[in-house]
Amino acid sequence: MIEPHTDQRTRRRIRLTVALCVLAVVGIYVTFFLEQM
Amino acid sequence: MTATTHDTHHEEKPQGLIRRWVFTTNHKDIGTLYLCWALLMFFVGGTMAMVIRAELFEPGIQLVDPYFFNQMTTMHALVMIFGAVMPAFVGLANWMVPLMVGAPDMALPRMNNWSFWLLPFAFAILLSTLLMPGGGPAGGWTMYPPLMLETGQAFPFVIFAIHIMGISSIMGAINVIATILNMRAPGMTLMKMPLFVWTWLITAYLLIAVMPVLAGAVTMLLTDQYFGTSFFNAAGGGDPVLFQHVFWFFGHPEVYIMILPAFGIISQIVPTFARKPLFGYSSMVYATASIAFLSFIVWAHHMFTVGMPLAGELFFMYSTMLIAIPTGVKVFNWIATMWRGAMTFETPMLFAIGFIILFTIGGFSGLMLAIAPADFQYQDTYFVVAHFHYVLVTGAVFSIIGAVYYWLPKWTGHMYNERLGKTHFWLSTIFVNVLFFPQHFLGLAGMPRRIPDYAVQFADWNMVSSIGGFCFGLSQLLFLYIVIKTIRGGQKATDRVWEGAHGLEWEVPSPAPYHTFETPPVVK
């Protein structure tokens, strides 16, 4: 496999992007689900 | 914009069927997998559509029992939306986004593999429900309770399959966002990105925002059925209409998830064959963002007849009408791009022009449906069926077919047969109109949707529509033949392929090497 992102700064930025996306997904799911409880 | 360097070394592909395709982390291989999967699902969903049209060929119950008919309408929608149109766009994104932004691959290649390989499992589960006691889901793809809760043993399997599809979509969207935001080549600023990349970035945000809402809605259905909750059960203090609100809060942005990448594709094809830069690039970006924003505040136009306060009806009516403005900007820009261009009409351009005209017809019938008092007449009739098939078939599907013809020479290194391509276009365009245009008349005359039998006054146009359906379905076999023939050989494609094509994807050889842009190109 070719590692598409080699420099440390890009890796950190990708991790941050993914973390924010996952936070958004979990946040929205929990909000919509629990808000109706 | 020009690319100064690209690497084409490191060509070795993994050997063996399993290592090459099951374990692949290469964005081009995964793109190919998605596109093949989407094509397979188009034919599976298309076969279900043929069952529907065969039953509706004449009044009376002819071929299938009504309960199976309802399973077909439900499964046709689920397969086409989640199995065909969405994976086709994800496949195009996988192939083209890294090439267009000058990245060596998607940002998260292993997750990319996982996103794809979840799909066959999800659809194996979903399709297997047709063989279960009580059959598959038959309450429509919108899964409204309490009807959906009448589903037999298939119910938890459907809910599980939808969750898996949602996880696959969310992972795909995260990958697209991470790639576009972090892996663009030096000099590729956001406002230099090709429109296809822009529309996919915005689509990915929509996916992140609404797939969890769908997951929440179907989880609540599951807990209502098995865990004693009463989210949607009026007897337990819940409200069935709540489901409709939550579902359409997902459902309307979902419609735009299926059309924004199509807008991006048309914005790539039209300038190429008009040999002019896209007219109003920045307004296209802002129009896309506006449509995405508006998609969150229009959901209740799907449920005008459910009983809402007048203020609500008015709000959702006017907010829906507002969507015509950014959409109009787009149509205007495509026409202005063609204006005084040195146009030629190769197959991708034919599909793009077909899209602009026919999608606009779907847009206009959408505007009619947005008018709340008129919608009271149109609700749940074939007029609605005609509307969304114009938007999704002559819109989304035509753009996908156009994109395949446009980029197929870059993928395979061979030109497709232009004469066959044009034949495919004309057959598709004629028969898709024979199929769906009469459904406007049927709907206005009062024929309800989702019924296996109908009053005799609807017989003639139903027969015409069914003939159109069979011919449209058969025409797509020609598409399959053209694609396979092009993969197997044909006239060698040049690197640029199309005289008027611009962008990084045309700077790499045809077929695109297995690894591209290992050294980032510099965009000026």
Side-chain angles (χ1 to χ4, degrees), chain B residues 6-35:
Chain B
H6 66 258
D7 281 357
T8 56
H9 65 278
H10 211 71
E11 263 309 274
E12 67 280 8
K13 297 171 184 171
Q15 296 301 308
L17 198 68
I18 290 179
R19 281 199 49 188
R20 170 79 193 273
W21 296 106
V22 179
F23 297 152
T24 184
T25 52
N26 181 287
H27 73 102
K28 299 182 185 84
D29 279 355
I30 295 173
T32 304
L33 285 170
Y34 265 111
L35 289 168

Side-chain angles (χ1 to χ4, degrees), chain B residues 432-498:
Chain B
V432 85
N433 283 293
V434 176
L435 165 58
F436 293 122
F437 210 84
Q439 295 181 5
H440 291 111
F441 311 146
L442 290 166
L444 291 177
M447 178 171 161
R449 60 189 289 205
R450 292 174 175 150
I451 52 160
D453 188 10
Y454 49 83
V456 285
Q457 74 260 32
F458 304 128
D460 293 349
W461 285 123
N462 265 298
M463 189 177 282
V464 172
S465 180
S466 289
I467 291 169
F470 301 143
C471 296
F472 180 73
L474 286 174
S475 307
Q476 303 321 306
L477 296 176
L478 179 60
F479 178 60
L480 182 66
Y481 171 74
I482 295 168
V483 171
I484 292 172
K485 192 167 177 282
T486 311
I487 292 168
R488 291 167 68 101
Q491 186 196 334
K492 184 92 182 72
T494 59
D495 293 356
R496 188 163 293 278
V497 181
W498 311 108

Side-chain angles (χ1 to χ4, degrees), chain B residues 267-462:
Chain B
S267 304
Q268 299 297 135
I269 293 176
V270 169
T272 296
F273 296 98
R275 292 167 180 76
K276 274 175 66 189
L278 183 70
F279 184 90
Y281 171 92
S282 50
S283 67
M284 284 296 218
V285 174
Y286 298 132
T288 310
S290 306
I291 294 171
F293 168 74
L294 288 171
S295 75
F296 287 105
I297 56 166
V298 298
W299 76 89
H301 67 213
H302 294 272
M303 33 192 294
F304 276 143
T305 57
V306 86
M308 265 189 291
L310 183 63
E313 303 251 343
L314 287 172
F315 173 80
F316 287 108
M317 178 169 92
Y318 289 127
S319 61
T320 303
M321 287 176 171
L322 272 181
I323 298 173
I325 297 170
T327 312
V329 168
K330 285 183 166 292
V331 173
F332 176 85
N333 284 350
W334 290 323
I335 294 168
T337 305
M338 289 190 265
W339 179 255
R340 293 193 168 175
M343 292 212 288
T344 50
F345 298 94
E346 288 86 346
T347 310
M349 184 61 160
L350 288 177
F351 273 99
I353 294 171
F355 172 99
I356 294 169
I357 295 168
L358 297 172
F359 173 80
T360 304
I361 292 177
F364 278 131
S365 57
L367 211 48
M368 291 169 69
L369 288 161
I371 303 166
D375 185 75
F376 274 65
Q377 296 296 314
Y378 306 143
Q379 171 82 29
D380 269 339
T381 70
Y382 255 81
F383 191 82
V384 180
V385 179
H387 157 70
F388 69 71
H389 280 97
Y390 265 87
V391 174
L392 283 177
V393 181
T394 60
V397 175
F398 264 38
S399 80
I400 290 165
I401 297 173
V404 170
Y405 281 115
Y406 185 55
W407 285 312
L408 195 60
K410 178 56 66 189
W411 301 338
T412 64
H414 304 126
M415 292 303 290
Y416 62 87
N417 184 315
E418 193 63 61
R419 197 169 54 84
L420 286 180
K422 284 180 177 169
T423 308
H424 174 230
F425 168 75
W426 285 111
L427 287 173
S428 298
T429 303
I430 291 166
F431 289 121
V432 85
N433 283 293
V434 176
L435 165 58
F436 293 122
F437 210 84
Q439 295 181 5
H440 291 111
F441 311 146
L442 290 166
L444 291 177
M447 178 171 161
R449 60 189 289 205
R450 292 174 175 150
I451 52 160
D453 188 10
Y454 49 83
V456 285
Q457 74 260 32
F458 304 128
D460 293 349
W461 285 123
N462 265 298

